Amino acid sequence: MAKGTIMLAAGGTGGHLFPAEALAHELTARGWQVHLATDDRAERFAGKFPAAAIHPISSSTIGSKNPIAVLRAFWSIWRGVRQASKVIAQIKPSVVIGFGGYPTLPPLYAATRRSVPSMVHEQNAVMGRANKALASKVDAVAGGFLPENAGANSAKVVVTGNPVRPAVIEAAKTPYAASTGTDAFNLLVFGGSQGAQFFSDAVPGAIALLSEAQRKRLRVTQQARVEDADKVKAAYAKLGITADVSPFFGDMAQRMAAAQLVISRSGASTVSEIAVIGRPAFLVPYPYALDHDQAANAARLAAAGGGEVHPQATLSPERIAGLIGGAMDDPARMATMAAAAKSVGKADATRLLADLAEAIASKIPVAEFRKGVRP
């Protein structure tokens, strides 16, 4: 017999859904029944998300300044609150947990209106707009990092870390191996769907500027968009560089574990995985992110000594070549950075998040949870 029911609410992106899915697996293993509330695209997740039921809830982004569009958005959200209230009355969750994105607003508003214990999980070092709007109303804020804009809600924050995939936990068992002398130097370059084009344009040209001895040592794994992949492959082939270029790698965790250096964007899950595995990283925040969350995420790893932040505007091919060449010529510095990154990694984030969820379900205050009080 289940301990009770927990409702998770998440937006439709992987950044929001993955930590919700990881928590759902952990809570199910602990004996809870899990339900998922998301937007009208819920059917995409049917059969994939470990939930007893998936509830499509109306919602909308409040992004337009057009008064009619704003009214429509508020009406959609209010309709979602009513839908979520009916679901909550039916399944009687012990706690409702949001993971960001506008689809979380109606279920969390509905929960707070009905005095159901509630919390949100913020993946980034800057709270997104939906979580920021909810922070004053919920009982706890779980953070992948300590959100720098928590303000008056800081007392509610518990830094649990971001859940990482089982493959990342496994990859973290591989110790960092510095590349010395003429040893091969494995460089991993990836940027996500919004960021790979810059690396496709800039990195091959930078590598062309390295010395012949450095190029002979280099082994490159690079994510590139479908439309860029052939161009990137051809550039490396012309240079005689051993390179694996693809729009997607199913074994990214293992490739990260094999890397002597990572060059990447700095989304929350990326920074969390780099830290858990423990690899030196040159982070290039996506410059057009609305809340500058990637810059804040990167700054946290850099502050610990586990990475360096390099704004995209500063990265000419000559500058990138200097960074890569400098890393290849200084294995001791790379090993130190790897150790520093690993020191701040939270491999047990899923367990900590589940502990907090159970505490909030049991109405244990955050202050007591911090002291070690558990259900």
Side-chain angles (χ1 to χ4, degrees):
M1 183 175 177
K3 286 182 180 179
T5 299
I6 292 179
M7 176 189 278
L8 308 182
T13 67
H16 295 139
L17 272 170
F18 174 74
E21 183 178 345
L23 179 60
H25 281 293
E26 177 69 16
L27 291 172
T28 300
R30 295 186 183 198
W32 292 89
Q33 184 179 79
V34 175
H35 287 240
L36 173 67
T38 186
D39 60 21
D40 293 331
R41 298 167 291 176
E43 61 270 10
R44 289 189 302 162
F45 316 121
K48 298 177 182 178
F49 197 97
I54 298 177
H55 306 279
I57 302 294
S58 175
S59 189
S60 180
T61 299
I62 308 172
S64 174
K65 293 183 180 179
N66 183 302
I68 295 175
V70 171
L71 284 172
R72 285 176 178 165
F74 274 111
W75 171 247
S76 182
I77 291 170
W78 176 242
R79 190 154 49 93
V81 171
R82 296 180 64 183
Q83 292 169 342
S85 293
K86 289 181 181 178
V87 173
I88 289 171
Q90 176 189 348
I91 68 174
K92 297 179 173 58
S94 298
V95 61
V96 177
I97 306 170
F99 287 86
Y102 279 96
T104 65
L105 288 172
L108 269 295
Y109 275 133
T112 57
R113 282 165 55 86
R114 299 178 69 92
S115 299
V116 176
S118 59
M119 60 181 272
V120 294
H121 179 268
E122 175 54 58
Q123 294 84 50
N124 292 291
V126 175
M127 276 202 287
R129 285 166 292 172
N131 278 347
K132 191 175 181 182
L134 292 164
S136 64
K137 297 175 173 59
V138 298
D139 298 293
V141 176
F145 307 89
L146 180 64
E148 62 184 41
N149 59 339
N153 300 300
S154 296
K156 297 181 180 181
V157 175
V158 176
V159 180
T160 59
N162 287 313
V164 295
R165 296 168 291 142
V168 173
I169 302 296
E170 186 62 29
K173 297 175 183 177
T174 303
Y176 180 71
S179 171
T180 60
T182 58
D183 292 347
F185 187 95
N186 295 313
L187 173 66
L188 173 61
V189 183
F190 64 98
S193 59
Q194 291 183 308
Q197 182 180 3
F198 170 74
F199 295 129
S200 295
D201 292 341
V203 176
I207 288 173
L209 300 177
L210 295 175
S211 70
E212 184 178 354
Q214 288 172 327
R215 290 200 303 271
K216 284 182 177 179
R217 291 174 58 200
L218 204 57
R219 307 287 184 270
V220 178
T221 294
Q222 184 162 343
Q223 179 199 38
R225 301 183 309 167
V226 172
E227 56 266 43
D228 296 332
D230 286 344
K231 174 185 72 174
V232 176
K233 288 177 183 177
Y236 285 132
K238 185 177 179 180
L239 292 170
I241 298 288
T242 300
D244 196 349
V245 180
S246 176
F248 176 77
F249 293 102
D251 58 347
M252 183 62 87
Q254 290 91 332
R255 289 173 184 267
M256 195 179 295
Q260 271 78 44
L261 174 65
V262 175
I263 298 178
S264 72
R265 293 300 193 194
S266 49
S269 60
T270 294
V271 174
S272 297
E273 291 183 359
I274 288 170
V276 169
I277 296 173
R279 295 298 179 265
F282 294 160
L283 300 172
V284 186
Y286 183 62
Y288 310 112
L290 193 61
D291 298 317
H292 302 291
D293 51 342
Q294 289 206 7
N297 298 340
R300 297 302 174 85
L301 190 63
E308 295 177 1
V309 185
H310 296 282
Q312 181 172 306
T314 68
L315 292 179
S316 63
E318 291 78 11
R319 176 63 176 150
I320 297 172
L323 290 169
I324 294 173
M328 295 180 75
D329 292 343
D330 197 347
R333 181 168 67 95
M334 293 298 100
T336 298
M337 286 177 64
K342 197 170 183 67
S343 72
V344 294
K346 289 188 176 293
D348 59 348
T350 305
R351 178 186 63 78
L352 288 170
L353 189 57
D355 286 349
L356 180 58
E358 290 188 323
I360 299 304
S362 299
K363 300 185 179 180
I364 294 172
V366 166
E368 295 300 307
F369 180 84
R370 286 197 183 117
K371 293 176 184 176
V373 176
R374 299 293 186 270

